[in-house]
Amino acid sequence: MKAMILAAGRGERLRPLTDSTPKPLLRAGGKPLIVWHLQRLAAAGWRDVVINHAHLGQQIVAALGDGTGFGLSISYSPEPVGALETAGGIAAALPLLGPHPFLAINGDVWCDWDVGRARQLVARDSSAQRGAHLVLVDNPPHHPAGDFRLSGDNVLAADPHTDGATLTYAGIGVFWPEFFAGVQRGGFMKLRPLLDEGIRRGLIGGERHAGRWVDVGTCERLALLDRELGGSE
C-alpha cells in the first residue's frame, strides 16, 4: 500500500513565511511539517510515498531526496504553477500510486491518527463497496460548521436542515483509484465535489478521530503548534 502527501498548495494564509519556503517545509517542534508525516509512515511500515508539489517544489525535493534518509522510497508528482487542487493532484499522481487503494494526507496538517489503520480499512472494505474512507475530527474554532456527518461508518452530507452533529474532514483518507476515474488527467479539480457525489452514491465511509489534530493554515496556528511540540524531536 502506498501513501501520498499532498504538498502542492501555495499557503497564502501563511505568507510571508511561504514566500520563500513551501508550506510543508515550515517547521514545528524542531522539524518540517512533512517530516512528521514521513516519520510516522516509516514507523508504521510504509515504504513507498508519493509527494506532489508546485510552489517552490524543488525545495521539497532537495530537502527530502529519494527518501532513503527516512527509510522510504519517495516519488514526486510535479504540478504546474497554481497547482491542480486536491482531486486534480491525486488524479495526476495515479500512475505513481498504482492500482491499489492508497492513503492520502494533507501536508499542512499535524495529526496523531494511527496511519497503520489504513491497511485495516482496506482489508475490511473492497473497492466495489468504497470509494474513500475519511478521517473526521471535531470542528475546530475556525471551522465551526464542519463538513460532514457520520452515521455508523458512513459519511453523510452536513445538511443544515437536519439535526446531527457535524465533523470536519481532517485531510486524511484512504482512497480507491477508481474514485478518481472521472477526473481529467492534468485538470484542475477540488476534492469536495467528488466526495459529495460519492456520498450520494453511498461510497464514502469514515471515522471520528478523537486525538490531536491541527490544521496549520495560519502563522498563529503554526506558532501555537510549534510551542506545543517544542523539543519533541
Side-chain angles (χ1 to χ4, degrees):
M1 186 177 186
K2 295 186 179 182
M4 180 174 184
I5 301 177
L6 298 157
R10 173 64 176 83
E12 290 288 348
R13 292 176 298 164
L14 280 158
R15 297 183 67 183
L17 297 177
T18 51
D19 288 342
S20 57
T21 303
K23 183 165 50 172
L25 293 185
L26 295 178
R27 301 175 74 84
K31 52 190 162 187
L33 293 170
I34 198 168
V35 169
W36 287 96
H37 293 312
L38 293 173
Q39 291 179 341
R40 284 201 175 98
L41 288 168
W46 255 262
R47 290 298 173 262
D48 296 302
V49 176
V50 176
I51 299 173
N52 66 339
H53 64 77
H55 173 65
L56 301 176
Q58 287 307 310
Q59 289 190 31
I60 297 175
V61 176
L64 306 179
D66 63 3
T68 54
F70 303 97
L72 299 167
S73 175
I74 297 178
S75 302
Y76 295 95
S77 180
E79 298 181 13
V81 175
L84 301 175
E85 275 291 350
T86 301
I90 292 175
L94 287 178
L96 297 173
L97 290 165
H100 304 296
F102 55 89
L103 173 65
I105 306 175
N106 286 0
D108 58 355
V109 301
W110 191 98
C111 188
D112 58 8
W113 183 73
D114 178 11
V115 294
R117 275 189 48 73
R119 292 189 181 90
Q120 300 171 25
L121 297 170
V122 169
R124 188 181 71 189
D125 294 328
S126 73
S127 58
Q129 296 171 318
R130 296 292 185 191
H133 182 99
L134 308 182
V135 177
L136 306 176
V137 294
D138 293 340
N139 300 330
H142 61 275
H143 190 57
D147 298 311
F148 304 108
R149 292 189 298 114
L150 268 180
S151 177
D153 292 333
N154 296 312
V155 174
L156 304 177
D159 185 344
H161 305 294
T162 303
D163 292 335
T166 62
L167 296 167
T168 291
Y169 174 46
I172 303 171
V174 175
F175 295 90
W176 278 254
E178 296 85 349
F179 188 61
F180 299 92
V183 181
Q184 181 180 358
R185 192 67 51 81
F188 175 98
M189 187 170 183
K190 294 179 179 293
L191 182 61
R192 183 59 188 263
L194 279 187
L195 293 178
D196 288 340
E197 174 64 14
I199 288 170
R200 187 189 68 79
R201 296 172 58 197
L203 299 176
I204 311 297
E207 63 183 76
R208 174 179 173 268
H209 174 59
R212 188 75 173 106
W213 174 83
V214 179
D215 169 17
V216 190
T218 65
C219 294
E220 292 76 16
R221 293 203 291 271
L222 177 65
L224 177 61
L225 179 64
D226 185 45
R227 291 194 295 271
E228 291 179 356
L229 298 176
S232 298
E233 287 194 78

